Amino acid sequence: MPQIEIRLAWIVLGDAMRRPKYNSLMMLAAEANGVIALRMMKLMLGGKAAQREAELMVTEKVRAAIEAGASLVTGASGDQIVHRYRQHVARNAKRLRKPSKRRKAR
């Protein structure tokens, strides 16, 4: 009997995950994970660039949370908020993929 219950649960969850609403949320999770990896690589290098990235990361998160809260208060849907977060994540990914400009030692 447990196998039947597990299969039934998988079918129900699998169907729910194919809905567009969940696809956008799952894409946000995957894209954010990529940005986290890029940020970790930059932070591991250390130096001033890593310090700036750490400060920027905290600032961006606070701003995004305030923006999401304001959007909710003004009547935005969850889908709209997820869409906006995905835009922020895409911008971060683009910025973090650019090679950093390091000064040459003299």
Side-chain angles (χ1 to χ4, degrees):
M1 287 296 174
Q3 288 180 331
I4 294 171
E5 291 172 4
I6 291 171
R7 283 187 183 171
L8 182 59
W10 179 252
I11 291 168
V12 170
L13 288 175
D15 183 50
M17 292 302 167
R18 284 190 285 272
R19 295 182 191 143
K21 183 187 293 188
Y22 295 104
N23 286 341
S24 183
L25 195 55
M26 289 184 339
M27 288 301 297
L28 173 61
E31 293 160 353
N33 193 32
V35 168
I36 291 167
L38 291 169
R39 276 195 166 136
M40 288 297 105
M41 287 187 275
K42 189 164 192 171
L43 293 173
M44 285 190 297
L45 291 174
K48 289 183 180 183
Q51 179 66 34
R52 281 192 304 270
E53 185 61 35
E55 291 169 1
L56 183 60
M57 178 177 64
V58 172
T59 303
E60 286 175 344
K61 292 203 180 294
V62 170
R63 285 183 181 160
I66 291 170
E67 181 183 341
S71 295
L72 277 173
V73 168
T74 59
S77 70
D79 289 338
Q80 291 170 323
I81 292 170
V82 168
H83 177 74
R84 184 68 178 134
Y85 264 100
R86 286 186 70 196
Q87 290 176 337
H88 287 298
V89 170
R91 196 172 324 121
N92 283 330
K94 183 177 180 180
R95 178 179 53 79
L96 288 165
R97 283 190 188 107
K98 290 180 185 176
S100 62
K101 297 174 184 174
R102 290 182 162 226
R103 289 186 173 183
K104 293 182 180 179
R106 293 183 186 197

